[in-house]
Amino acid sequence: MIPRIALTPGEPAGIGPDITLAIAQQPWDAELIAICDPDLLRQRADMLGLDIRIDVVDNPQGQPQLHRPGSLKVYPVALNAPCTAGELDPANASYVLCTLHAAVDACLAGRCQAMVTAPVQKSVINEAGIPFSGHTELLAEDTDSDRVVMMLATAKMRVALATTHLPLKDVPAAITPELLTETLEILHRDLQQKFGLAAPRIAVLGLNPHAGEGGHMGSEEIDTIIPTLDKLRARGMVLQGPLPADTAFNPKVLDHCDAIFAMYHDQGLPVLKYAGFGEAVNVTLGLPIIRTSVDHGTALDLAGTGKADASSLRAALEMAISMVNSDPETRR
């Protein structure tokens, strides 16, 4: 099966269009459909001195065809206002969201087998008066998913999160038995179905320094985390922990687990991004569709300069194709 992958270039003033054009220059074992304004890509290609053929397709369907380097199929969504590289415009905030909604619809309808997203600028979307906390939350709403899990992955490490974009002061109250159970179930299931791991091994971090030091540095481990892990182990899950976060990222742990499960955003992601920035992939687990993304922001200062690095988008596309091939639901 040749998968059809929906690409959303994200914030039009950022490097999303640049890196989308960059990956279109190489062969892929998939059909690529960019969901955006075709004129935006043409204008950015002119700025970058790229010779690329833009083929507008109104309704991608039928048997996918392998991507042809130097060309790109585009499902057209019109910008609300002219775009200048590097200059944010709140007028285009709703355009960005429209491209995401269209990609989700295409995946839910089976016209595309996965979606890959370039970075968006959360601030300008909120400045436009549209409440927006991130791709992860929007995708959960669009797909009617009660719970999703953010996971970042490199070739050597996967880090999933119990909580995502929460202020640090709100994290302890959010760490409940229900949340831990649901997020670990999602992580376990998707590691099996989408990554082909029959018996995933998950290392779980504690919330507090030294994983609570036996209750002397916090009681969440004793009251909530340990009892929840014990119940999940009784159901057959292979779980280590809770482990102290400051010593968990070492070969003795990483060589014997398939994923690290962190309690909050900045507990696990700084380590992963230090180890693999520019080559890491953001994966949303728990969705009825496959979605991967880059691990970086819009880099407005690099837009249109030819200096943007497409490595993370390339890795996100490679992972999406691999996940499609591992997931029996998308191969049907």
Side-chain angles (χ1 to χ4, degrees):
M1 173 184 175
I2 299 172
R4 178 181 290 124
I5 311 295
L7 297 173
T8 57
E11 167 54 49
I15 62 170
D18 305 47
I19 58 179
T20 298
L21 291 165
I23 65 168
Q25 304 301 316
Q26 67 183 86
W28 291 97
D29 292 328
E31 180 179 276
L32 310 186
I33 303 286
I35 300 180
C36 62
D37 192 316
D39 288 336
L40 169 67
L41 293 182
R42 294 187 182 103
Q43 292 164 5
R44 196 64 59 87
D46 288 343
M47 288 185 67
L48 298 171
L50 295 176
D51 183 15
I52 186 166
R53 173 177 171 173
I54 302 295
D55 295 320
V56 176
V57 292
D58 290 329
N59 188 18
Q61 57 185 344
Q63 183 64 36
Q65 304 296 317
L66 282 177
H67 174 71
R68 292 180 299 165
S71 67
L72 186 60
K73 295 179 180 179
V74 178
Y75 176 81
V77 177
L79 284 164
N80 298 326
C83 175
T84 300
E87 298 182 12
L88 295 172
D89 186 347
N92 283 320
S94 62
Y95 154 82
V96 172
L97 299 185
C98 283
T99 65
L100 296 174
H101 296 318
V104 172
D105 289 345
C107 290
L108 289 175
R111 296 191 300 273
C112 293
Q113 283 66 56
M115 63 182 287
V116 178
T117 61
V120 299
Q121 187 84 15
K122 297 176 189 176
S123 61
V124 76
I125 297 174
N126 284 286
E127 287 170 11
I130 304 171
F132 180 78
S133 55
H135 278 108
T136 303
E137 294 80 4
L138 178 142
L139 294 171
E141 182 176 350
D142 273 9
T143 59
D144 292 324
S145 300
D146 293 331
R147 181 85 69 186
V148 296
V149 174
M150 177 188 290
M151 183 177 80
L152 266 73
T154 67
K156 297 182 178 180
M157 189 187 309
R158 301 182 185 97
V159 176
L161 303 178
T163 62
T164 53
H165 300 120
L166 277 183
L168 190 56
K169 65 181 178 61
D170 296 333
V171 171
I175 302 298
T176 64
E178 293 76 18
L179 177 132
L180 292 177
T181 298
E182 291 176 11
T183 51
L184 281 166
E185 286 175 340
I186 289 169
L187 175 60
H188 184 268
R189 183 183 66 243
D190 278 10
L191 287 174
Q192 289 180 317
Q193 295 181 355
K194 294 183 170 66
F195 290 87
L197 299 169
R201 303 163 300 171
I202 302 169
V204 180
L205 304 185
L207 173 65
N208 297 293
H210 299 186
E213 194 76 59
H216 295 287
M217 292 188 182
S219 63
E220 286 85 359
E221 285 77 13
I222 293 173
D223 295 341
T224 303
I225 300 174
I226 292 173
T228 303
L229 298 187
D230 286 343
K231 290 180 180 179
L232 293 173
R233 289 188 187 103
R235 292 167 44 188
M237 288 193 193
V238 181
L239 305 171
Q240 300 180 57
L243 303 175
D246 63 338
T247 57
F249 292 90
N250 68 77
K252 290 183 179 180
V253 175
L254 296 175
D255 290 349
H256 300 284
C257 76
D258 298 302
I260 295 278
F261 184 75
M263 292 294 130
Y264 56 93
H265 188 281
D266 282 11
Q267 184 184 52
L269 296 192
V271 181
L272 180 137
K273 290 193 176 186
Y274 174 78
F277 190 76
E279 297 180 354
V281 179
N282 188 337
V283 186
T284 306
L285 306 178
L287 298 172
I289 63 175
I290 290 173
R291 178 261 176 166
T292 65
S293 185
V294 296
D295 71 341
H296 57 73
T298 55
L300 297 169
D301 58 322
L302 298 180
T305 67
K307 298 179 181 179
D309 186 349
S311 297
S312 185
L313 185 62
R314 189 174 296 112
L317 182 52
E318 290 171 349
M319 184 170 289
I321 295 170
S322 175
M323 291 171 69
V324 170
N325 291 332
S326 295
D327 189 348
E329 290 299 316
T330 60
R331 292 202 308 268
R332 288 190 303 179

